[in-house]
Amino acid sequence: MKNRVFAAMAALTVVAAPAAIAQVSGEGGPIKVNADKSEVLEKQRKVVLIDNVDIMQGTARLRANRVTINYAGSGETQTNGLTGFGDIESMEAVGEVFYVTPDLKATGTKGIYNAASDTITLTGDVVLIRGEDVATGQRLVMNLEEGRTVLDGGSGQVQMNINPNQPDNASN
């Protein structure tokens, strides 16, 4: 029983993902974006997506009220939208942030992707769901390359509801 609970906790708190070379998904590939409004700030090398933002890459999806995409570089490149700036340096999502992959669902009030550290950080009333397991806290850091997830309770504790798999022949 002890091993089953440990295995369930490990499965809940570790995100297995391949090395991320992208911005939303470790899979890479094209990024599809939907939003009610977008604003390109060429000199600041930013694109701001406003209201009903829905970003999809591979099997990963990010939804939020507002997303700011920051590009690496000096700001000398001209662009006509999301392309032309080069590599994405970071993304910041605010307001009802939802991050979904086939393995997990995570929500919070703010999300940040940092390309240099290959991490996604969610803060503010974080809920992490993996299968039937649910964990809550205040700060979730997912290191995509390492496949490591850390959930912090902030001023409170991390709370988990773990549903270990029960063998078919288990007796009650």
Side-chain angles (χ1 to χ4, degrees), residues 98-107 122 127-131 140:
F98 296 89
Y99 180 70
V100 180
T101 71
D103 296 328
L104 66 89
K105 296 175 186 163
T107 65
L122 284 176
V127 177
L128 173 64
I129 301 170
R130 181 184 280 279
L140 174 68

Side-chain angles (χ1 to χ4, degrees), residues 34-37 49-55 63-66:
N34 292 306
D36 289 349
K37 182 178 176 182
L49 304 165
I50 304 163
D51 294 331
N52 298 308
V53 180
D54 191 358
I55 301 173
R63 291 184 318 168
N65 295 344
R66 181 183 188 104

Side-chain angles (χ1 to χ4, degrees), residues 19 46 48 56 66 75 93 119 122 130 164 170:
K46 292 182 180 185
V48 181
M56 295 161 281
R66 181 183 188 104
T119 58
L122 284 176
R130 181 184 280 279

Side-chain angles (χ1 to χ4, degrees), residues 21-52:
I21 56 172
Q23 296 75 29
V24 177
S25 167
E27 301 170 18
I31 300 172
K32 297 179 183 179
V33 177
N34 292 306
D36 289 349
K37 182 178 176 182
S38 70
E39 182 178 357
V40 177
L41 304 167
E42 288 189 34
K43 290 183 180 181
Q44 292 92 359
R45 300 182 66 80
K46 292 182 180 185
V47 174
V48 181
L49 304 165
I50 304 163
D51 294 331
N52 298 308

Side-chain angles (χ1 to χ4, degrees), residues 30-159:
I31 300 172
K32 297 179 183 179
V33 177
N34 292 306
D36 289 349
K37 182 178 176 182
S38 70
E39 182 178 357
V40 177
L41 304 167
E42 288 189 34
K43 290 183 180 181
Q44 292 92 359
R45 300 182 66 80
K46 292 182 180 185
V47 174
V48 181
L49 304 165
I50 304 163
D51 294 331
N52 298 308
V53 180
D54 191 358
I55 301 173
M56 295 161 281
Q57 183 180 37
T59 58
R61 182 177 210 164
L62 172 68
R63 291 184 318 168
N65 295 344
R66 181 183 188 104
V67 174
T68 301
I69 302 171
N70 300 293
Y71 290 87
S74 64
E76 296 173 5
T77 304
Q78 296 293 317
T79 184
N80 292 322
L82 289 174
T83 61
F85 281 142
D87 292 333
I88 292 177
E89 182 176 73
S90 66
M91 290 179 19
E92 180 178 326
V94 294
E96 299 181 32
V97 178
F98 296 89
Y99 180 70
V100 180
T101 71
D103 296 328
L104 66 89
K105 296 175 186 163
T107 65
T109 57
K110 184 176 182 179
I112 296 175
Y113 169 76
N114 183 309
S117 62
D118 200 20
T119 58
I120 295 172
T121 302
L122 284 176
T123 57
D125 298 322
V126 174
V127 177
L128 173 64
I129 301 170
R130 181 184 280 279
E132 293 182 23
D133 300 334
V134 180
T136 60
Q138 289 301 310
R139 185 171 187 260
L140 174 68
V141 179
M142 297 180 279
N143 185 302
L144 301 177
E145 185 175 345
E146 292 177 9
R148 180 175 184 227
T149 300
V150 177
L151 182 60
D152 184 343
S155 60
Q157 292 184 315
V158 170
Q159 297 181 350

